[in-house]
Each structure stands twice: as C-alpha cells, then as structure tokens.
Amino acid sequence: MSAADIPAIPRATYRLQFHGGFGFADAKAVVDYLDRLGISHLYASPYLKARAGSTHGYDIVDHNALNPEVGDEAAFAALCDALTERGMGQILDFVPNHMGVGLADNAWWLDVLEWGRQSPHAEVFDIDWRPAQAALRGKVLLPVLGDHYGRVLEAGELRLSFDAGEGSFSVWYYGHRFPISPRQYAGLLDAAVRTLAADADSGGREIEPIAAGFHDLRRPARSARGRAARREKARSLQQRLAAAVARHPALARHVEAAVARLNGTPGDAASFGPLHRLLESQSYRLAFWRVAAEEINYRRFFQINDLAGVRVEVPAVFDAVHAFVLRLIAEGRIHGLRIDHVDGLFDPRRYLERLQARARAAAGLPDGRPFYVVVEKILAGHERLREDWPVAGTTGYDFLNRVNGLFVDAASERPLSQVYRRLVGGPADFDEVAHEGRRQVMDLELASELRVLANGFNRLAEMSWLTRDHTLVGLRQALREVAACFPVYRTYVDARGATADDRRDLDWALSLARRRSRRADKSVFDFVHAALTTDLAAGRHGPYRRNEVRRLAMKFQQYTGPVTAKGVEDTAFYRFNRLISLNEVGGEPARFGTTASAFHHGMQERARAWPHAMLASATHDTKRGEDARARIDALSEIPGLWEHRVRRWRTLTRRLRVDVDGRPAPAANDEYLLYQALVGAWPAEFHGAAPLDADALDAFRERIVAYMAKAVREAKVHSSWIDPDQAYEAALATFIGRLLDGRRRNLFLDDFRAFHRRVAELGAVNALAQAVLKLTAPGVPDFYQGGELWDFSLVDPDNRRPVDFGLRRRLLDDLSRMAIGDGVADLLRTWPDGRIKLFVLWRLLSIRREHPEFFAEGRYEAVTVAGGKADHVVAFVRRNAGAALLVAVPRLAFRLSDTGRPFPLGADAWGDTALALPDDLASGAWSHLFTGAHPTAASDGRLAVADLLSVLPVAVALRTGVDG
C-alpha cells in the first residue's frame, strides 16, 4: 500500500502511550497487530522532546525535536514507513498551550532568564512583566526552592558556577539552572583580572579586553537591532572567554577562585551578600515553591509551576512551535492532530483557523478537504462545540458520558442519595461541593492568577470616573465568585464580541455570583459583566480602551478552565462519592442517568454536526477504565443490596481502622470510595471461586493503596498534594493492607467476592453494550491502549501499566481461525478471559473496514422498541448505499435475568419485547455479525429481541439490497 491508501477520515484510532519504556521501535512491532484488529490510525501520545524521564510527554521542552528517550529519526521513520505500508495513518497528540520549564533543558526559557524582556523568546511565554508588586517588575518569579529563599541561600544550596566549555556563568540549585546575565559578567571577571599578572602565560592580557567587552554590554540597547547586536556580541565574548581559559589553566583557576568567593560560607550569613546582590540583579527572582499560589507572574498549566503557558496566539510564536510538526505533515508522516487543552489558548478559534490553513497547505490538500483535527474539549451538558471551529470534533468525552449514562438507573438517584447520607453523611448537593472546590483551589492554588486578573480589572476601572470607586478587593472578590459559579469550562469571547451562547453562560454565572455575594455594593458585578461581554468597550469614544477590555475578557476565559478542572474534576469528584462512575472527565454527577431517547437525540445531532468526531470510552485522563466504570454503574440498579453489603463490610472491618488524632482512618467518605473502587478494579482472574493467588492479590493491593493515596490528596480534606498528612495516609494504607490480606482467613474478602460475582456479570453486559455502541454510533471509535481486553484500570499512573501485546496477538490469532457462530457461546461462558470483548471489537472493526459508508456517511435512525422490557433496549439503524446495519444492546440488565442465568438471553429475559422495524427493513433476513444467525421479522414487521439476543447479550446485524 501507499500513502494514497490512508483514509482521510480515520475508521478507528488506537492510542499508544510513548515514553522511555515504550518507544517507536515498540510501536512498530505492533503495527501488524493493530492492522489485523481493524485500526486505521495510530493515535500517538506526545513524542516531541520532553523532560528527561517523562512518562506522558506533556512537559515538552523542545517542539522542534523528537524525544530521544522514545527514539531517533531512524526509528521514527521506520514506524511511519510500517504504517504507510499497511495503509495506516498517524494522529499526534500535540501540545501548543504550555512547555516544561525549570531545571536546565528548555533553551527558550533559559534564554528568557538570561536576557529578560530583551530575549527574542520573551514573547513565547505568558509572563506578566508589570505585576502590582514593585519588586517583581521586569522579573520572572521562579518558585522552585524547597524552603524560604534566605534559608536556602545561607545553607549554601545556591551555587554560582562557571562553565568553562561555554564561557558562561550560572547559579545552580540541584538540577535547576539559573543563567547569569552577560551584563553582570564584567563584575565577575574583574576580580580575576586584578589577581592576574599582566603577562601572556597567565592569560591576563587576553582576559582584560574580554572583561571590557562585557562592561560595554551594560549600556542599554534602544532598538531591536541594537538588542540583537548586543546578544551577538555577548555570545562572541563568551566564546572568547571559553577559548582563553582553555589555553590558560592559570586563568581558569583564577575565575574559579572568584566564583568560589561569591558562593559564601554556610554559618557566615554576611558572606552570602555578594551572591544575593548578583541574584537580585537578574531578570528573575528565586522563591520558595509555596509562594507560587499567591505571587507567580507567569501563566501555568493549571497549578503546575514547571509547565509555563505559551502565547501561541502570537504569529511568530505559532510558527516557532509548529515548524517541526508541519514538516512531518508535509512529509506524509502525520495525518491528523489532537490538540491538547484547547481551552487553555487565548483565542481558540483563531488558533484553529491558522492551524487548519497551515496544516492543509503542508499536506497539499485540495480545496474543500480539511486536515483531520480534533480538540480536547470538555462540554457541559447544555453546551455544544462551536460549529465555526475548523475541526472534526472533540476527542470524545461528551460521548463517553452520554453512553455511560445509559447504564445508570435514574430511578435509583433518590435511594442511592439516601444510602450515601445514611452511611457517610455525604453532601446531598453536588453543585455546592463543586462550588466549594472551585473556591478552594482559587484560594490555595490559583490565587496568583486571580491576583493578576484583579489588578488588570482594577486598572480598567480607573479609566473612568464612573467606575474608579470599584476597589481592588471588591473586584477580586467578584471575579472569584463569578469563576466559582461558572457553568462551563470557559466562554469564547473574541474580537467579534460575545455570542449568544457566551452571554447565556456569563449571565448565569453573574446572576448566581451576585446572589451569593455578601458585598453591600453589588454594582461591581455590573462592571464585571460589561467587561466580560466586552460591552464596556461599545461605542467609539468611550473611556475604556477597547483592546484592553477584550484582552482582559479573554484572559479571564483562560482562568475559568483551570479553576473548573482543579476545583471540580480534581477536587469535587473525589469528595462527592455517591456513585463514582459518574465522576468522570466531562461528567456531571448531578445528572443521574440517560434515557434511550436522549441518547438517540444526541447521536442524531452528532451525525448532523460532527460525524467524524472521536468516540471515546477510556483515555489516558479518565478516572477509571471503561469496564471498571461499567461495573460501578451496575450498583445503581441494586441500591438496597449495595447498602446492606457496605454496612456488613463496615462491621467486618471495624477492627482494621486506625485512629489518627482522634479520628478514624479511613474516614467514612474515603472508605465508601474505596469499596466502589474495589468493585470497579477487581481483576477478572479473581472472579471464580478458586483461592486467590497471594502474589497477585499483593500486586492488586499496591495498586489500590497508590490510588487511594492520590484520591485523598485530590479531595484535599484529610490530605493534599501541597500539605500531605503522612499519618492519615499511612493509616489508610494499613487499613487497605489488612482489608486485602489474602494470606489469612479474611471474612471481608469472602463476602466481597460473593457479592462481586453478580455485579461483575452485570458489568460485563454493560461493557459489551458500551463497546458495541462506540463502534456503531456516528463518529470515529478510539481505543486506549490495551482496552480491547477488559479494562479495569484506575486513574493514571495505573492506566499506564505495560500492555501485553503478545497475549492480545495470540488471542486474535485464535479468534481469526474461528468460524462465525462457532464457539461464541463458549466465549460468553468464559467471559473473564476477555476474549468475548476482543471478539466483538474485532468483528465490528472488520465491518467498519468492509462497509465504511455506514459510518462515514450513514444516517442514524432510532428504532422503536415495544413490549414488556422495551425500556431495557437501545436499538437503532445505520444505513447508506443500499445497505443497513441494525444495532440492539441491553441496558439496566439486573431485572432481566434471574440468579441462575447471569446474562439476559432469549425469551426468559426478553419475553415479548420486539423491535418495530421501518417498513423497508421489515421483510427479508438479517445476518447477525456475531453468531451468523439470520433473524427475520414477523409479518407485522416486528423483530423479536429474544431472537437477536439469544446467544450473546448484544447484536449487530447486516442487510444489503435495501433502499439507501
């Protein structure tokens, strides 16, 4: 095959996580397997040059090089060639919003530290060079120290050093490098010059003009040309200095001696004065890492200090960041892009327009054919992706949560809420938990960004006598409350102003914030509303600068996303544990369940607006694996049984708890989370009645301990990342260790296993139904690595464990040799080995390859279901080009089968339930893709669900020769 055979729109994507332990060569080794599985596009995690040891690739330090830990150019080319030979493409997860900074590996960042605002890379990073704090003006705050600056300085942990090979000076703090500006080199060299004899052997004569040249650098440069000339002169002087010390060992010794004197002596505080003064003269200020929450003056990725925001909206920065990836597109190596964290960008629409134009040009695409781009975007339940964005759609979190809702019993919302309150005393209102989570992260982690915003709005208010009485404190409080009440990740106000959707969400947030505020003068909210909608700049001759109003409105939009991500998904989702399968990326735990009709409506809208968007059920960012989530959903069907079991477990484990400062550990809410996590993550090999393998149980226990430690830190109630409670975490680990101790008689394990067997069977039904829906709904199904077998993983890093591709290859080989219909019932009986899931995925991926027209262009039509169990079926037809594909899957399966039959099959489960097929599909036989059977509708056009679901609990059937 050739590049011409690669589909422009993926049929199916498969995500691989690249890192030092899995590189290009490893990916090349599984290309043939992915092709046989039916994948059309490899979906690669970021593999541009990242920080050494990165396990995820999002901390990129050089956008224009491959990550050497993943492989070199030859290995990359070999992977690309292997894909092309099989007609497969590649989609790259691209990170335009931020870069890894700190340490000593980002050349652009180091140049900014060295030259400050005069660095040609200063506009790359989103730095506030004019903060309110006078001491920081013209400087970058670097909160990297492990203790207060003065203590670190006097301990001698900040060490000035001379790089003889480069002719440069830097201060080092362990692995962090802080370049000294060449404008201060003269003072460092003067001491060496004074101690050298003026003769050729010592290098004294050679060093004097170099030192004089560095003195000249202190003169200000007024123009861009002058600044460039000064940088060029500095580099030349550094090279001359390096050559001089290489030729004259005596000179090198004197320079090192001058450096040593500046480093001071621990115990003698005064001796560190010169080093302190040197640091104070730089374009940065070193600080304790805890200062970041309140003082930092560069935009970060969320609250992560060593990920700095990139101003990709600047054309020159865009060009610098995208040069390499556009080259790979032009070379036919990359065929699509996934844009990470699109909501972090200053102007997403303009960025995507520029990207689409440049990518199309690089790929040489004809007019009217877009380059495949999807965006990582979290959509609220009422929110729709902006249709003026030139993208194929989102990465699929919206689909994930919509399909997951099908398996949550809405009738159990009240009973499960009561169970949660009775057992835990848990909060009843998720919205209040989310509001408090947002406020907490703004106070403890993102206060500095809010402070920068408030200062900007304060300067704006001062532009008019009508608004100058709005105080800085009042503006900060108002902005904080508005962000805490925001109903979406962000709005998209830009040069065109606010759209109707923007105004809807801003009106909601401002109205709610006003009601919650305790300020006597609430007119500040009128000012904030006018600014955020840009109405404040309406008219030609108003007192407010139009560009500044727009800039602040757009900067506020960059703030609300991190507030929601950290305050809701990484705080509230670990506090509100009523049913944790709803606490998923992009999820809304207050929205309990999805009806079949709502699902159909959503899919019809997807087919109309975003037929090529991704369909995800698990990603590297999800809180738990897709099949773990499907199991936990099943608890919504059995609230009474669940309460009974949890009460029993709490009684059985009472003696296992530990008191920490007079409180039981784990706390009731954390224990409730733990039991649900165990239900979801319990390994399939533990399903039977055979004794548990002690070593395997030990490994599972370690995973659960790590997960719960992360969960309690994210919740920020009993511990946190910035202030870990080691005693509580140790007590929690001890409890889990005793809970999952398989080397002694364990009543909890006996009882849990008996309960789990039934839940696991329900979860398997949900999981198979979910898989079928993902592979037949409008869009491009995406598979997270390893997920073709059961995925009971937990949140990262648990979901980045190595994948056994050898096992998957062997299982696929076996299935490929099996005739359709033979052994299918056996696959279901032995469901814990995962072959049944692999079989279903492989068959549906095969039909996507054989009949791409169903999925690229096919219509989506809901099928009416009649009969006693109609509410338990989701059925629809995809049709195109004279053929039709019928899909039917169960939902809420607990009431469909008795204890003797684990799966809802045949007449015993379905009775008179039937599909009322459209008239043109009511005659003739269908071909069941999984069993080979040919179910036929009755004379009244009804197709019995019992016939469709007689062998497997899911069905997909094909008919050809019908009207398109």
Side-chain angles (χ1 to χ4, degrees):
M1 293 189 181
S2 67
D5 298 307
I6 299 172
I9 304 299
R11 290 192 314 271
T13 61
Y14 192 98
R15 171 84 173 202
L16 289 178
Q17 293 294 108
F18 287 96
H19 49 76
F22 188 93
F24 297 136
D26 301 293
K28 178 177 178 291
V30 301
V31 166
D32 64 323
Y33 162 73
L34 297 180
D35 180 32
R36 289 176 52 229
L37 184 62
I39 300 300
S40 69
H41 284 65
L42 171 66
Y43 173 19
S45 70
Y47 52 61
L48 302 183
K49 187 177 181 181
R51 178 138 293 154
S54 175
T55 59
H56 46 73
Y58 287 99
D59 44 0
I60 290 174
V61 296
D62 186 349
H63 280 91
N64 293 299
L66 296 172
N67 187 345
E69 294 184 354
V70 173
D72 57 17
E73 292 266 4
F76 177 69
L79 169 60
C80 295
D81 291 344
L83 291 168
T84 301
E85 287 171 6
R86 293 181 173 271
M88 297 172 66
Q90 181 187 166
I91 295 171
L92 175 64
D93 187 347
F94 188 71
V95 187
N97 174 66
H98 57 267
M99 294 183 74
V101 298
L103 297 180
D105 49 11
N106 187 323
W108 292 353
W109 180 255
L110 292 172
D111 195 79
V112 172
L113 300 187
E114 187 174 16
W115 291 97
R117 298 190 72 174
Q118 295 186 8
S119 167
H121 304 296
E123 67 177 359
V124 170
F125 302 102
D126 200 348
I127 300 168
D128 179 14
W129 295 101
R130 297 190 304 115
Q133 186 177 351
L136 277 178
R137 289 173 189 167
K139 294 178 180 286
V140 184
L141 183 73
L142 303 181
V144 300
L145 305 181
D147 201 345
H148 289 273
Y149 166 76
R151 294 172 185 168
V152 172
L153 178 71
E154 292 184 11
E157 295 177 48
L158 297 171
R159 306 293 294 176
L160 177 67
S161 68
F162 174 63
D163 186 330
E166 297 289 336
S168 63
F169 294 91
S170 298
V171 168
W172 287 83
Y173 176 69
Y174 300 103
H176 295 276
R177 179 188 165 211
F178 310 111
I180 298 299
S181 170
R183 290 170 294 188
Q184 275 77 48
Y185 280 24
L188 298 173
L189 294 176
D190 284 348
V193 170
R194 287 192 298 269
T195 59
L196 284 167
D199 61 61
D201 290 339
S202 66
R205 292 179 180 175
E206 192 168 351
I207 192 65
E208 287 181 359
I210 296 175
F214 282 117
H215 272 286
D216 290 341
L217 293 179
R218 295 179 174 180
R219 297 173 183 173
R222 303 296 184 186
S223 65
R225 179 179 297 179
R227 289 191 291 271
R230 184 164 61 173
R231 284 172 56 84
E232 184 176 348
K233 181 177 181 179
R235 297 304 180 219
S236 175
L237 289 169
Q238 287 172 326
Q239 292 169 3
R240 289 170 58 190
L241 178 59
V245 296
R247 284 192 295 269
H248 303 287
L251 174 58
R253 289 194 299 272
H254 281 272
V255 173
E256 292 289 355
V259 167
R261 284 192 293 273
L262 254 72
N263 276 325
T265 303
D268 180 3
S271 67
F272 291 97
L275 179 59
H276 169 66
R277 289 190 290 274
L278 177 66
L279 287 169
E280 288 291 280
S281 65
Q282 305 308 307
S283 296
Y284 50 82
R285 181 174 182 174
L286 304 183
F288 186 23
W289 68 269
R290 291 185 181 274
V291 168
E294 299 178 358
E295 294 284 344
I296 202 166
N297 64 331
Y298 62 87
R299 182 171 61 86
R300 301 169 291 175
F301 175 70
F302 297 165
Q303 86 294 12
I304 304 174
N305 295 343
D306 55 6
L307 293 178
V310 173
R311 298 183 63 217
V312 75
E313 68 273 10
V314 177
V317 176
F318 179 96
D319 292 342
V321 166
H322 293 78
F324 184 58
V325 74
L326 288 172
R327 193 195 90 189
L328 296 180
I329 291 172
E331 293 173 352
R333 304 296 194 186
I334 292 177
H335 310 90
L337 293 173
R338 179 254 198 200
I339 302 303
D340 178 65
H341 191 46
V342 70
D343 278 348
L345 303 179
F346 183 69
D347 191 344
R349 179 183 62 85
R350 181 170 293 186
Y351 166 81
L352 292 168
E353 289 174 346
R354 181 177 289 141
L355 176 68
Q356 184 63 236
R358 297 292 298 276
R360 288 185 65 258
L365 297 179
D367 290 345
R369 178 177 159 185
F371 189 75
Y372 189 75
V373 177
V374 290
V375 291
E376 184 205 25
K377 165 64 188 164
I378 306 301
L379 294 166
H382 69 277
E383 187 181 13
R384 299 293 176 265
L385 187 65
R386 303 301 168 104
E387 293 193 23
D388 59 351
W389 286 8
V391 298
T394 73
T395 54
Y397 291 124
D398 44 340
F399 173 81
L400 181 157
N401 286 285
R402 190 179 294 272
V403 74
N404 183 67
L406 284 172
F407 309 109
V408 175
D409 190 349
S412 292
E413 179 174 12
R414 183 176 180 184
L416 267 183
S417 297
Q418 292 172 340
V419 169
Y420 188 40
R421 284 195 296 272
R422 284 195 295 263
L423 294 180
V424 177
D429 189 341
F430 173 76
D431 290 337
E432 284 300 316
V433 179
H435 182 268
E436 177 56 31
R438 289 189 183 97
R439 290 182 61 140
Q440 182 172 334
V441 298
M442 283 190 282
D443 291 343
L444 300 182
E445 300 178 40
L446 299 172
S448 56
E449 288 84 353
L450 181 59
R451 183 178 183 179
V452 170
L453 276 172
N455 289 335
F457 276 79
N458 187 54
R459 289 192 295 267
L460 189 68
E462 291 286 345
M463 293 179 185
S464 171
W465 57 54
L466 294 174
T467 55
R468 72 177 191 179
D469 286 345
H470 293 311
T471 65
L472 177 60
V473 171
L475 287 163
R476 184 185 182 282
Q477 290 178 349
L479 291 169
R480 174 177 177 264
E481 195 58 60
V482 172
C485 295
F486 229 63
V488 292
Y489 259 63
R490 63 168 283 172
T491 47
Y492 298 95
V493 175
D494 57 18
R496 303 171 302 178
T499 66
D501 286 347
D502 295 326
R503 290 184 181 277
R504 172 200 63 203
D505 294 326
L506 286 168
D507 289 350
W508 171 276
L510 268 294
S511 175
L512 187 57
R514 185 191 300 270
R515 291 200 301 271
R516 285 182 173 272
S517 175
R518 296 181 179 179
R519 293 189 62 80
D521 180 9
K522 297 187 179 182
S523 64
V524 65
F525 290 100
D526 298 328
F527 172 75
V528 169
H529 184 277
L532 294 180
T533 57
T534 68
D535 290 348
L536 198 65
R540 294 186 176 182
H541 305 294
Y544 307 102
R545 292 198 297 273
R546 185 186 305 271
N547 288 343
E548 183 62 6
V549 172
R550 183 188 307 149
R551 185 189 73 84
L552 286 171
M554 296 171 76
K555 294 299 290 183
F556 179 80
Q557 293 174 149
Q558 283 182 294
Y559 182 64
T560 56
V563 168
T564 299
K566 299 306 299 180
V568 179
E569 290 183 6
D570 289 345
T571 301
F573 278 9
Y574 290 94
R575 292 181 179 178
F576 187 80
N577 296 323
R578 179 178 62 179
L579 185 69
I580 63 172
S581 57
L582 295 176
N583 299 5
E584 194 48 87
V585 180
E588 296 182 300
R591 188 184 294 262
F592 208 91
T594 301
T595 64
S597 60
F599 178 80
H600 291 315
H601 176 76
M603 294 307 101
Q604 288 163 347
E605 176 65 15
R606 173 179 287 268
R608 179 195 69 80
W610 306 107
H612 307 311
M614 279 186 170
L615 302 166
S617 48
T619 76
H620 60 288
D621 276 334
T622 43
K623 304 297 185 186
R624 50 200 54 83
E626 59 189 29
D627 303 317
R629 191 184 316 115
R631 277 181 178 173
I632 298 167
D633 285 341
L635 299 179
S636 72
E637 300 184 62
I638 51 172
L641 180 58
W642 171 243
E643 179 178 16
H644 170 74
R645 253 354 202 251
V646 173
R647 286 188 182 278
R648 178 169 171 76
W649 297 339
R650 291 177 63 176
T651 299
L652 291 173
T653 61
R654 181 179 296 120
R655 295 182 179 180
L656 305 184
R657 297 182 187 86
V658 179
D659 280 348
V660 176
D661 297 330
R663 300 171 299 157
N669 198 33
D670 292 338
E671 187 177 357
Y672 197 67
L673 167 66
L674 170 62
Y675 294 139
Q676 292 182 72
L678 291 177
V679 167
W682 193 248
E685 58 266 30
F686 293 176
H687 179 70
L692 296 175
D693 179 271
D695 291 336
L697 185 58
D698 288 345
F700 177 66
R701 182 175 63 244
E702 290 177 5
R703 291 174 52 205
I704 296 297
V705 168
Y707 166 75
M708 288 301 298
K710 177 170 183 173
V712 298
R713 289 188 179 189
E714 296 284 19
K716 306 171 187 67
V717 175
H718 300 289
S719 190
S720 68
W721 294 107
I722 62 175
D723 190 19
D725 187 329
Q726 302 293 349
Y728 183 83
E729 292 182 13
L732 178 60
T734 298
F735 178 81
I736 296 169
R738 295 170 177 172
L739 190 76
L740 300 179
D741 183 358
R743 300 179 188 276
R744 61 173 178 80
R745 179 68 189 278
N746 190 322
L747 296 178
F748 166 77
L749 282 179
D750 293 343
D751 196 75
F752 178 82
R753 293 182 71 190
F755 168 79
H756 192 271
R757 289 187 190 103
R758 181 64 180 125
V759 174
E761 290 160 355
L762 293 171
V765 174
N766 291 346
L768 291 174
Q770 174 179 251
V772 168
L773 293 174
K774 183 171 78 170
L775 277 152
T776 55
V780 177
D782 170 46
F783 298 90
Y784 183 67
Q785 60 177 25
E788 60 271 35
L789 296 183
W790 298 125
D791 177 11
F792 301 126
S793 58
L794 296 162
V795 73
D796 73 287
D798 190 67
N799 62 8
R800 291 201 297 266
R801 288 170 293 144
V803 176
D804 188 346
F805 284 106
L807 170 64
R808 286 158 174 78
R809 190 190 300 271
R810 292 191 297 273
L811 294 179
L812 184 59
D813 288 342
D814 293 342
L815 293 174
S816 300
R817 290 190 289 266
M818 189 177 77
I820 297 301
D822 292 348
V824 174
D826 182 61
L827 293 180
L828 188 61
R829 281 193 298 271
T830 59
W831 69 266
D833 63 20
R835 290 183 303 154
I836 181 61
K837 182 181 180 185
L838 179 61
F839 171 76
V840 166
L841 297 183
W842 169 60
R843 286 294 295 140
L844 291 178
L845 285 169
S846 297
I847 204 70
R848 290 185 73 93
R849 193 199 304 260
E850 296 163 10
H851 293 277
E853 68 276 4
F854 284 135
F855 310 101
E857 303 169 4
R859 299 200 307 274
Y860 180 101
E861 299 176 11
V863 171
T864 301
V865 186
K869 303 296 176 62
D871 290 342
H872 294 269
V873 182
V874 178
F876 57 88
V877 168
R878 301 296 307 275
R879 64 161 87 205
N880 192 66
L885 200 70
L886 174 66
V887 178
V889 300
R891 60 185 294 260
L892 309 180
F894 177 73
R895 295 191 296 274
L896 295 176
S897 39
D898 58 37
T899 56
R901 293 177 61 87
F903 299 108
L905 301 175
D908 288 346
W910 294 106
D912 65 347
T913 308
L915 308 182
L917 296 177
D919 291 342
D920 62 328
L921 300 180
S923 60
W926 294 81
S927 178
H928 198 304
L929 296 181
F930 303 141
T931 68
H934 298 285
T936 304
S939 59
D940 62 358
R942 297 194 174 196
L943 182 59
V945 173
D947 290 344
L948 273 176
L949 307 183
S950 61
V951 179
L952 290 182
V954 292
V956 179
L958 174 66
R959 267 201 63 190
T960 57
V962 297
D963 294 337

